[in-house]
């Protein structure tokens, strides 16, 4: 008497022996369990045996679950074996998506429910056994033709078992984020069978797709339809297909679906059909697009930083040259006017570079006391020309408002972002008003500590923001604008800047009555001097005073020569080095010859910070100054705390003051330690 059919085999892969014992205990009644403790062992088992389902731990030494799943899917014999991932910690959407992308049909989270694990595995065990059973039945029917009545009875029993298994299978599959389907292999590829999961994906019940042969393709985006038809037709030649397309769901919105399937063989005279799965990958594609957008913005930021360095070197050379020209030449009124206009243009260029860095978020914040009323002319000049004739812009901030402690360049950029958003919310025209008031918080709130604040409000009369998305508008990449009309980064940039400045962004909006964006800025405890804004020439230096000797290091030859000449005309003794290598040789040769080191930051091979560190190995108290066309915060964060940073283009006055300041600081430190 021949033995009965062997139990279906289940491959359990987990590096924890306790988990393997638990799995064997739960699943032993329904299947033969093959337990291994690594991805490598699992792959060796798959070379020798077939399995109804594979239970695969995500985190393992050596090959992890994702890598093992990828190798399993590459093998022809095992690529269609169902995979269920076991995990204890990776419940985030990103890990779930990665698992499904690797070929998983489900996740089971540790510690697992024995009943749930058994029911999930039972479906695939039964499917596997059903396949084997059908094969065995075909052989049995040929051998037992004489026992037709008995065969018919067994057939009826098998059909009842099959229906029961299908019911359980449908219940399990209905809980998965995937839809299984069968369709005709000929145009219009009519749907013959669709699982209930399609309603969760599309909003349509299965009957809607199976009742109309042309319904499925009619909802495909017109631009994607030719590609879908081509993929389905090719399945007859290749035996399988994969295509991705946009499909219009019941709510009218398009979702992106990944459709994969195989061509079934013709059996018993039936026409072949396509069996496949439908997976919603909309969120995955959106994340990929956001990543690409972020990478593009990062590339723009890096490009801006490089341009800023070169432009600031050029502008610094121009401004230094103009200063030398004024001191050396006798200029008539017309020539002096030309020099003044050139200097103004160079300063405007420096301001433009600063704005480029602010846009790319690569400018270091420099908070100071800001009189908001003085920004009116600047804001009117920046935004008025681009608002259009239908938008009225009103600036209502007067001198009664406190000084705010904020980076003025970043504040202007934030206000411009809010004004342009308000403009886009009023396509038919309206009014944008900017006003401010003084506010005091006595009890800490959710987003602000107690203290004095200046609240700048940008208010529009536009359509307003629905309450259900009000909390999302500051999230990166979130936008309600059409594709191509916005990146979704404007408000998130404003929010990040305000939080970094010690304040908060609050939004008051309602559909039909407009939006008010409130920038809560900390009040400045400093009082800005009246003459701080005015440009002042360098104060004359006492002719009888002995001036310090300077080692000037810069790889820009023009700027180095002009800066040296400017200092020499003031009476300083200046020695120049064309780069870090030459400077290190000079410092090592004569460590006590120079009183101050003035060095560029960004130079080939060795940076200005490293030059100063080398010099201070020879003289620990050596005064030094760093000048730079552009350096991001991370690059200069580790410079010595007593080394000031001057941004190019700098005023001669500021450089001279910094020289005397670092010398005085070094002397005071020497007296204190001595």
């Amino acid at each position: 008497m021949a033995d009965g059919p062997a139990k279906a085999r289940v491959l359990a892969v987990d590096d924890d022996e306790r988990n393997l014992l638990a799995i064997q205990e739960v699943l032993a009644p329904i299947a033969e369990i093959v337990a291994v403790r690594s991805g490598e062992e699992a792959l060796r088992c798959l070379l020798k045996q077939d399995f109804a389902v594979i239970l695969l731990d995500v985190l393992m030494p050596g090959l992890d679950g994702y890598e093992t799943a990828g190798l399993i899917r590459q093998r022809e014999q095992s690529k269609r074996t169902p995979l269920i991932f076991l995990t204890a910690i990776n419940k985030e959407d990103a890990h779930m998506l990665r698992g499904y992308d690797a070929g998983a049909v489900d996740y089971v989270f540790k510690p697992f429910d024995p009943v749930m694990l058994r029911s999930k595995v039972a479906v695939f065990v039964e499917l596997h056994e059903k396949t084997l059973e059908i094969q065995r039945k075909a052989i049995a029917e040929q051998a037992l033709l004489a026992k037709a009545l008995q065969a018919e009875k067994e057939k009826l029993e098998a059909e009842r078992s099959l229906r029961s298994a299908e019911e359980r299978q449908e219940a399990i599959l209905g809980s998965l984020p995937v839809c299984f389907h069968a369709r005709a292999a000929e145009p219009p590829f009519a749907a013959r069978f669709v699982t209930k999961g399609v309603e969760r994906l599309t909003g349509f019940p299965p009957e809607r797709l199976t009742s109309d042969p042309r319904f499925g393709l009619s909802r495909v985006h017109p631009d994607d339809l030719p590609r879908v038809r081509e993929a389905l037709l090719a399945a007859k030649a290749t035996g399988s297909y994969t295509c991705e397309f946009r499909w219009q769901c019941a709510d009218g919105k398009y979702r992106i679906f990944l459709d994969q399937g195989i061509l079934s063989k013709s059996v018993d005279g039936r026409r072949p059909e396509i069996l496949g799965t439908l997976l919603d990958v909309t969120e995955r594609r959106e994340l990929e697009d956001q990543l690409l957008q972020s990478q593009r913005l990062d590339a723009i930021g890096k490009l801006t930083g490089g341009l800023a360095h070169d432009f600031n070197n050029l502008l610094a050379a121009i401004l230094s040259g103009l200063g030398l020209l004024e001191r050396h030449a006798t200029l008539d009124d017309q020539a002096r006017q030309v020099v003044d206009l050139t200097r103004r243009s160079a300063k405007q260029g420096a301001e433009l570079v600063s704005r480029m860095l602010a846009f790319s978020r690569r400018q270091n914040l420099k908070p100071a006391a800001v009189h908001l009323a003085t920004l009116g002319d600047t804001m009117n000049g920046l935004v008025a020309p681009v608002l259009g004739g239908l938008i009225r812009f009103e600036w209502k901030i007067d001198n009664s408002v406190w000084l705010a402690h904020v980076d003025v360049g970043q504040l202007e950029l934030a206000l411009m972002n809010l004004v342009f958003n308000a403009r886009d919310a009023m396509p038919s025209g309206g009014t944008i008003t900017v006003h401010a008031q003084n506010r005091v918080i006595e009890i800490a709130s959710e987003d602000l500590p107690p203290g004095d604040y200046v609240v700048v409000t940008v208010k529009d009369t536009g359509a307003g923001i629905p309450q259900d998305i009000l909390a999302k508008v500051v999230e990166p990449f979130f936008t309600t604008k059409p594709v191509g009309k916005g990146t979704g980064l404007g408000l998130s940039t404003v929010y990040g800047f305000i939080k970094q400045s010690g304040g908060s962004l609050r939004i008051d909006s309602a559909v039909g009555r407009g939006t008010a964006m409130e920038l809560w800025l900390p009040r400045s405890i400093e009082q800005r001097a009246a003459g701080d804004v005015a440009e002042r020439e360098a104060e004359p230096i006492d002719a009888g005073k002995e001036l310090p000797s300077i080692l000037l290091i810069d790889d820009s030859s023009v700027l180095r020569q002009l800066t040296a000449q400017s200092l020499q005309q003031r009476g300083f003794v200046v020695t120049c080095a064309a780069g870090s290598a030459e400077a290190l040789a000079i410092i090592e040769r004569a460590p006590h010859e120079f009183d101050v080191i003035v060095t560029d930051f960004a130079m080939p091979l060795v940076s200005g910070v490293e030059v100063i560190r080398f010099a201070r190995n020879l003289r620990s108290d050596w005064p030094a100054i760093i000048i730079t066309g552009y350096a991001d915060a991370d690059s200069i964060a580790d410079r010595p705390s007593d080394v000031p940073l001057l941004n190019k283009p700098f005023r001669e006055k500021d450089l001279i003051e910094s020289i005397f300041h670092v010398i005085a600081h070094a002397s005071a430190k020497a007296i204190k330690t001595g």
Side-chain angles (χ1 to χ4, degrees):
M1 189 81 175
D3 295 336
K7 275 188 177 181
R9 285 186 292 271
V10 174
L11 178 60
V13 189
D14 197 307
D15 62 327
D16 191 331
E17 187 173 356
R18 294 169 297 179
N19 290 333
L20 294 176
L21 290 174
I23 291 170
Q24 289 175 318
E25 181 69 23
V26 171
L27 300 182
I30 64 173
E32 175 187 344
I33 310 303
V34 178
V36 298
R37 300 184 61 181
S38 70
E40 292 84 354
E41 289 185 68
L43 295 174
R44 286 194 290 270
C45 286
L46 287 169
L47 293 174
K48 304 174 183 177
Q49 304 178 61
D50 292 328
F51 295 90
V53 63
I54 301 173
L55 303 178
L56 186 57
D57 188 21
V58 172
L59 296 180
M60 296 184 295
L63 288 176
D64 65 18
Y66 299 126
E67 294 170 329
T68 304
L71 294 172
I72 291 173
R73 286 291 179 251
Q74 290 177 11
R75 296 184 65 252
E76 183 66 29
Q77 294 88 338
S78 60
K79 68 179 183 181
R80 295 184 182 87
T81 303
L83 285 172
I84 297 178
F85 273 132
L86 307 175
T87 181
I89 57 173
N90 291 328
K91 298 184 180 180
E92 296 88 353
D93 288 344
H95 293 292
M96 300 282 285
L97 288 174
R98 184 180 177 189
Y100 289 126
D101 191 50
V105 298
D106 203 355
Y107 266 84
V108 172
F109 299 104
K110 304 175 187 176
F112 51 78
D113 184 332
V115 176
M116 178 61 71
L117 177 62
R118 187 183 300 114
S119 64
K120 288 178 179 288
V121 173
V123 172
F124 298 106
V125 169
E126 290 175 6
L127 288 175
H128 182 74
E129 290 177 342
K130 181 178 66 177
T131 301
L132 298 178
E133 180 183 352
I134 292 173
Q135 295 173 355
R136 290 192 299 270
K137 189 191 333 183
I139 298 173
E141 286 177 347
Q142 294 177 7
L144 302 174
L145 292 176
K147 299 180 180 180
L149 290 177
Q150 183 65 26
E152 185 66 22
K153 180 181 177 180
E154 292 177 357
K155 179 180 179 182
L156 291 174
E157 291 176 352
E159 288 176 349
R160 283 196 294 268
S161 299
L162 180 59
R163 283 194 296 271
S164 177
E166 287 175 344
E167 290 174 359
R168 290 194 295 271
Q169 171 186 327
E170 188 68 25
I172 296 298
L173 294 180
S175 66
L176 301 177
V178 65
C179 164
F180 296 83
H181 62 80
R183 66 173 78 189
E186 300 290 341
F189 307 104
R192 296 176 177 173
F193 166 77
V194 184
T195 59
K196 292 180 180 179
V198 74
E199 188 165 2
R200 186 170 63 255
L201 296 181
T202 68
F204 292 107
E207 297 78 14
R208 185 68 181 89
L209 284 85
T210 56
S211 62
D212 184 352
R214 301 184 180 276
F215 182 75
L217 290 185
S218 70
R219 308 290 292 187
V220 176
H221 193 284
D223 294 342
D224 300 339
L225 187 55
R227 185 171 67 253
V228 175
R229 284 179 174 155
E230 182 181 351
L232 293 173
L233 288 171
K236 295 184 66 175
T238 62
S240 64
Y241 75 97
T242 298
C243 59
E244 191 172 296
F245 52 85
R246 290 164 289 176
W247 202 86
Q248 191 176 30
C249 298
D251 59 3
K253 297 180 180 179
Y254 281 96
R255 305 286 294 177
I256 303 174
F257 291 116
L258 175 63
D259 193 358
Q260 297 175 299
I262 61 171
L263 184 70
S264 68
K265 296 181 179 180
S266 177
V267 179
D268 297 334
R270 291 183 300 172
R271 293 181 179 178
E273 61 183 7
I274 295 175
L275 307 177
T277 60
L278 197 67
L279 180 66
D280 188 342
V281 295
T282 306
E283 284 73 20
R284 185 193 308 174
R285 295 296 174 258
E286 288 175 351
L287 288 172
E288 291 173 354
D289 291 342
Q290 290 169 11
L291 177 60
L292 290 175
Q293 177 71 3
S294 177
Q295 290 172 338
R296 284 195 291 268
L297 289 176
D298 183 63
I300 291 173
K302 292 177 180 177
L303 175 62
T304 302
L307 291 174
H309 177 271
D310 294 339
F311 272 118
N312 281 333
N313 274 342
L314 294 173
L315 293 171
I318 292 172
L319 291 173
S320 296
L322 291 174
L324 289 172
L325 182 63
E326 284 182 315
R327 286 203 295 269
H328 275 286
T330 302
L331 305 177
D332 56 24
D333 292 342
Q334 183 176 3
R336 186 169 296 279
Q337 184 178 8
V338 171
V339 170
D340 289 341
L341 289 173
T342 305
R343 178 181 286 110
R344 185 181 307 171
S345 297
K347 290 180 179 178
Q348 289 175 344
E351 184 178 353
L352 175 62
V353 172
S354 177
R355 292 187 185 279
M356 289 170 60
L357 290 171
F359 171 77
S360 63
R361 292 179 292 169
R362 288 180 172 266
Q363 186 179 36
N364 300 321
L365 289 184
K366 298 179 180 178
V370 177
H371 199 328
L372 298 177
T374 62
L375 302 182
D377 291 340
T378 301
M379 290 302 299
N380 273 294
L382 288 173
V383 304
V386 295
L387 289 181
L390 299 177
I391 306 293
R392 183 171 61 183
F393 180 71
E394 297 180 351
W395 181 270
K396 296 183 177 180
I397 301 181
D398 56 29
N399 293 326
S400 64
V401 179
W402 293 331
L403 299 182
H405 185 68
V406 68
D407 185 310
V408 65
Q410 291 284 359
L411 177 61
E412 289 178 357
L413 180 65
L415 291 173
M416 288 173 61
N417 265 319
L418 297 181
V419 169
F420 292 154
N421 279 349
R423 174 200 63 187
D424 294 340
M426 300 185 295
S428 300
T431 301
I432 301 174
T433 305
V434 181
H435 62 86
Q437 56 183 325
N438 303 325
R439 298 288 294 273
V440 178
I441 294 182
E442 297 180 353
I443 301 176
S445 63
E446 184 177 339
D447 57 343
L448 288 172
D452 295 341
Y453 294 89
V454 180
V455 183
V456 182
T457 304
V458 179
K459 186 175 182 181
D460 65 61
T461 57
I465 304 173
Q467 292 298 312
D468 59 335
I469 66 171
L470 193 59
K472 300 179 181 179
V473 295
V474 297
E475 295 178 1
F477 302 109
F478 181 85
T479 179
T480 58
K481 299 177 183 179
V483 176
K485 296 295 184 181
T487 64
L489 292 173
L491 276 180
S492 65
T493 302
V494 173
Y495 178 78
F497 154 65
I498 293 298
K499 296 298 288 184
Q500 186 180 356
S501 300
S504 183
L505 173 65
R506 296 181 178 179
I507 306 174
D508 179 22
S509 182
V511 176
R513 89 175 159 82
T515 302
M517 297 281 183
E518 296 182 353
L519 303 179
W520 287 67
L521 304 171
R523 179 184 181 181
S524 175
I525 60 175
E526 303 175 2
Q527 295 297 320
R528 187 177 59 178
D532 279 357
V533 179
E535 181 76 23
R536 298 194 296 268
E537 292 295 328
E539 297 179 1
I541 299 174
D542 186 356
K545 183 177 181 180
E546 183 179 355
L547 297 179
S549 58
I550 299 170
L551 175 59
L552 177 63
I553 311 165
D554 200 317
D555 59 344
S556 172
S557 60
V558 175
L559 180 58
R560 183 178 67 251
Q561 294 174 19
L562 291 173
T563 303
Q565 291 181 27
S566 177
L567 292 172
Q568 287 167 349
Q569 288 183 7
R570 294 291 184 182
F572 293 92
V573 177
V574 181
T575 300
C576 294
S580 53
E582 183 179 346
L584 293 176
I586 294 174
I587 291 170
E588 189 172 23
R589 185 171 61 249
H592 297 281
E593 185 175 336
F594 308 103
D595 299 310
V596 182
I597 296 174
V598 179
T599 178
D600 188 20
F601 171 77
M603 295 182 291
L605 302 179
V606 180
S607 71
V609 172
E610 292 169 325
V611 169
I612 293 173
R613 285 179 179 156
F614 176 81
R616 288 188 171 181
N617 286 331
L618 304 177
R619 278 175 54 190
S620 61
D621 60 344
W622 205 331
I625 300 168
I626 291 178
I627 55 177
T628 180
Y630 163 72
D632 58 43
D634 293 336
S635 300
I636 60 174
D638 60 345
R639 78 181 193 277
S641 59
D642 61 341
V643 177
L645 180 71
L646 284 182
N647 289 310
K648 301 174 185 178
F650 49 79
R651 296 180 300 177
E652 180 188 75
K653 169 185 176 297
D654 294 333
L655 177 58
I656 293 175
E657 287 181 352
S658 297
I659 291 172
F660 286 119
H661 172 76
V662 296
I663 291 176
H665 181 272
S667 300
K669 183 178 179 181
I671 293 173
K672 184 177 181 180
T673 55

